[in-house]
Amino acid sequence: MPHTRVEQKAHTRQALLDTALRLLEDRSLDSLGLRELTREVGIVPTAFYRHFPDVASLGVALVEQCLGGLRTAVRAVRDGIADSDAVISRSLSVLVAQLHERREHFRFIARERHGGVAPVRRAIREQLDLSAAELATDLLTRRLPHVTALERWEAQDVRMLATLIVDHVVQTAAALLELPPGDEAAASDTIDMADRQLRLIALGSRHWPG
């Protein structure tokens, strides 16, 4: 158990996040009541505001915790790798590992990406935009072979390629979440198809612009 006030505050904040995820397993964020959440955590409703200004802000924190962690992990994979096939393969491995570790987070993202809480929708879009911007920078500065001759591309086209890749990864995550738990064969097939499709995107990009 935490001993200092700072540790206690961090502990309670994380308890709010974890409990919200549990309560939202099959529900949307806009159905979550403040009293319900704080009762489950074991604090009075007014204590919630020491950690978040409102429930939407808690949702934004969940988004940053999940997608921010994925961004960091995927960027680490790209460091020091100069082969595009290896980047694709290792990035998908990271995605699968994150899905196993944060399955409830990703289910939350999948539900809320087009949900009714506007700040959370914006936070998801901002995190995905950051992922695309970081990938575009890496594509330009590292010039991964077999991807494309990027020096002849317009900046907006590089960003378009990065966004296409990020969106495909998001779709792959959503497809994996829809599979029955423990269906390793279906998961393997989904990952293999995603790997092939990303390689096709990389190959096609070599011929852009036509």
Side-chain angles (χ1 to χ4, degrees), residues 70-138:
L70 180 61
R71 277 177 44 230
T72 299
V74 171
R75 286 213 74 185
V77 162
R78 294 199 297 263
D79 286 341
I81 300 178
D83 179 76
S84 59
D85 287 351
V87 168
I88 290 169
S89 176
R90 295 192 191 183
S91 295
L92 287 173
S93 295
V94 167
L95 174 65
V96 172
Q98 290 278 313
L99 277 171
H100 282 301
E101 182 180 338
R102 297 177 179 270
R103 187 175 183 85
E104 295 84 1
H105 279 87
F106 281 95
R107 290 183 67 84
F108 171 79
I109 298 296
R111 283 194 305 271
E112 299 298 330
R113 188 181 181 191
H114 305 292
V117 182
V120 176
R121 291 200 310 272
R122 285 196 299 270
I124 294 171
R125 186 67 260 168
E126 287 168 3
Q127 285 291 328
L128 296 179
D129 286 346
L130 277 172
S131 294
E134 290 170 354
L135 177 56
T137 298
D138 286 348

Side-chain angles (χ1 to χ4, degrees), residues 92 95 162-174 190 193-198 201:
L92 287 173
L95 174 65
T163 299
L164 179 62
I165 293 170
V166 168
D167 285 347
H168 190 74
V169 169
V170 171
Q171 292 168 14
T172 300
T190 300
M193 179 59 70
D195 183 272
R196 291 165 62 85
Q197 289 169 337
L198 286 169
I201 291 171

Side-chain angles (χ1 to χ4, degrees), residues 24-208:
L24 294 171
E25 182 177 1
D26 297 305
R27 299 162 50 187
S28 60
L29 182 63
D30 56 9
S31 72
L32 181 63
L34 178 61
R35 289 186 179 276
E36 177 189 14
L37 174 59
T38 53
R39 182 173 61 249
E40 288 290 321
V41 175
I43 61 175
V44 297
T46 52
F48 174 88
Y49 298 105
R50 300 173 190 164
H51 307 277
F52 303 100
D54 48 39
V55 173
S57 299
L58 179 146
V60 170
L62 286 172
V63 171
E64 293 172 347
Q65 195 174 67
C66 177
L67 295 183
L70 180 61
R71 277 177 44 230
T72 299
V74 171
R75 286 213 74 185
V77 162
R78 294 199 297 263
D79 286 341
I81 300 178
D83 179 76
S84 59
D85 287 351
V87 168
I88 290 169
S89 176
R90 295 192 191 183
S91 295
L92 287 173
S93 295
V94 167
L95 174 65
V96 172
Q98 290 278 313
L99 277 171
H100 282 301
E101 182 180 338
R102 297 177 179 270
R103 187 175 183 85
E104 295 84 1
H105 279 87
F106 281 95
R107 290 183 67 84
F108 171 79
I109 298 296
R111 283 194 305 271
E112 299 298 330
R113 188 181 181 191
H114 305 292
V117 182
V120 176
R121 291 200 310 272
R122 285 196 299 270
I124 294 171
R125 186 67 260 168
E126 287 168 3
Q127 285 291 328
L128 296 179
D129 286 346
L130 277 172
S131 294
E134 290 170 354
L135 177 56
T137 298
D138 286 348
L139 289 172
L140 282 170
T141 56
R142 298 176 189 180
R143 302 200 182 283
L144 298 174
H146 315 304
V147 177
T148 185
L150 289 175
E151 63 273 5
R152 70 174 187 267
W153 281 41
E154 298 290 338
Q156 61 266 30
D157 287 349
V158 178
R159 181 61 180 269
M160 177 181 68
L161 172 63
T163 299
L164 179 62
I165 293 170
V166 168
D167 285 347
H168 190 74
V169 169
V170 171
Q171 292 168 14
T172 300
L176 289 169
L177 287 171
E178 291 299 317
L179 297 176
D183 193 339
E184 298 299 332
S188 179
D189 288 345
T190 300
I191 296 164
D192 180 65
M193 179 59 70
D195 183 272
R196 291 165 62 85
Q197 289 169 337
L198 286 169
R199 291 174 196 268
L200 181 60
I201 291 171
L203 177 63
S205 69
R206 295 173 62 186
H207 305 285
W208 181 271

